[in-house]
Amino acid sequence: MKLRRILKWIASIILLALILWVLIAYWTSTNDCERYSAVPNNLMKAIVHCEYGSPNVLKFEDVEKPVPNDNQILIKVRAVSLNAFDVYVIRDTWLGRLIFGLRKPRDTRLGRDVAGIVEAVGKNVTQFKPGDEVFGICRGALAEYSCAFERALVMKPSNVSFDEAACLPLAGLTALQGLREGKIQPGQKVLINGATGGVGTFAVQIAKSFGAEVTAVCSTRNVDLVRSIGADHVIDYTKEDFTKNDQRYDVIFDNVCNHSFTERRRVLTPKGICVLAGMGGAGVKQGQAIRRIVGNLFTARGLSSFTDQKFAQYMTKVSKPDLIMLGDLIQAGKLRPVIERTYKLNDAPEALRDLDGGHARGKVVITVKQDNKI
Ligand SMILES: NC(=O)c1ccc[n+]([C@@H]2O[C@H](COP(=O)([O-])OP(=O)(O)OC[C@H]3O[C@@H](n4cnc5c(N)ncnc54)[C@H](OP(=O)(O)O)[C@@H]3O)[C@@H](O)[C@H]2O)c1
């Protein structure tokens, strides 16, 4: 009896502490939008999002130019490519608020994939010097300048444009690392579901460079596009469901996850691997995304433990060797970024609106002009 009372007390205290923590976290989760301490001679243009919402909340503003710390590199940004992630970050959803800040977005700056010229380096940086042309991953790339760490940057091949190099980081790494999760081998039959977005267009080409026979799944308007980047077979998902045909695949690289596990197992070979890469791109709605994430989390692990067919989940990692490999592939002509459209920095809201539509063709790129001419 006494023990039960003590346990009740402990549970009440934990509950109270939790409520208090949520309240404090909510009221303290603000951002620096009201507190810019920029001085007139140290300004740059950048895209800022102070609130959650649609791409309409984005502002093109003067902000303080970043200063690299001892381990950072200051990049004069020449091009940025957008990812589905940049759309998820600004959306007003409860899942987004839990991850990116309860009341307001903690990080007000957008953009991850960058290509540009090294302007200055911190004292511990050994691999880069001012003037080097680089590409990689940073925070707040949608700006005239941005800081990155050495481990997330590599040299840009000389025959590759800044726009092309900026397409590579997140989408290229996701495609490359996902196909590795699928243990892709030459001669295997590989199906790419969601083959025409940022990740898919790289996955088709990288799978081909590994010597696979590639089937691309896309909508009618993109059939010619996937053929042009090397797909051997194309399935138009508006006319045919790939899980209903008789073909079997050694690897399914699934960017959409819009079929049940049973349906996908039907078209996997007995020891086939389905790589759960994404949830449908920038256009996916919160409810859909949560259903797909939860399904992946619980069912994938369970099924993979009990059958020879595997469902592999992974998070893309920033990897310097993989960035170098992507650079080599593009330099050797084995990879060609598909660029849907390029925009100027001040048109970033329009670019994100396009991506938000959910039917991007390849990558959307923001070009940042030299000499501060936006
Ligand atoms: N695992 C990781 O760590 C990681 C890292 C980065 C990205 N991702 C995920 O990867 C996914 C793809 O990203 P992305 O940048 O390629 O997105 P994206 O550029 O927005 O492309 C999404 C693609 O999905 C296609 N699509 C939409 N509905 C479809 C359907 N029913 N069947 C087949 N294809 C369909 C669209 O093609 P159509 O126009 O032809 O419909 C579009 O090309 C996202 O969900 C993203 O979150 C995962």
Side-chain angles (χ1 to χ4, degrees), residues 122-191:
K123 71 175 167 51
N124 297 335
V125 172
T126 56
Q127 295 167 21
F128 300 99
K129 59 180 186 323
D132 284 347
E133 297 186 345
V134 293
F135 73 96
I137 294 183
C138 67
R139 296 180 88 134
L142 282 171
E144 289 179 292
Y145 295 89
S146 150
C147 285
F149 289 97
E150 240 175 337
R151 64 183 165 77
L153 278 188
V154 296
M155 296 294 281
K156 178 181 79 65
S158 57
N159 63 343
V160 174
S161 71
F162 286 105
D163 284 4
E164 288 174 322
C167 293
L168 286 172
L170 192 55
L173 289 174
T174 304
L176 176 63
Q177 293 172 7
L179 288 167
R180 279 206 203 109
E181 287 288 327
K183 302 188 171 44
I184 186 169
Q185 299 294 326
Q188 281 190 328
K189 290 186 170 32
V190 174
L191 177 132

Side-chain angles (χ1 to χ4, degrees), residues 10 49 75 77 85 91 96 100 116 194 234 314 338-339 369:
I10 294 174
H49 77 122
I75 303 164
V77 178
F85 179 78
R91 270 197 198 144
F100 305 116
V234 183
Y314 71 107
V338 175
I339 298 179
K369 292 272 181 281

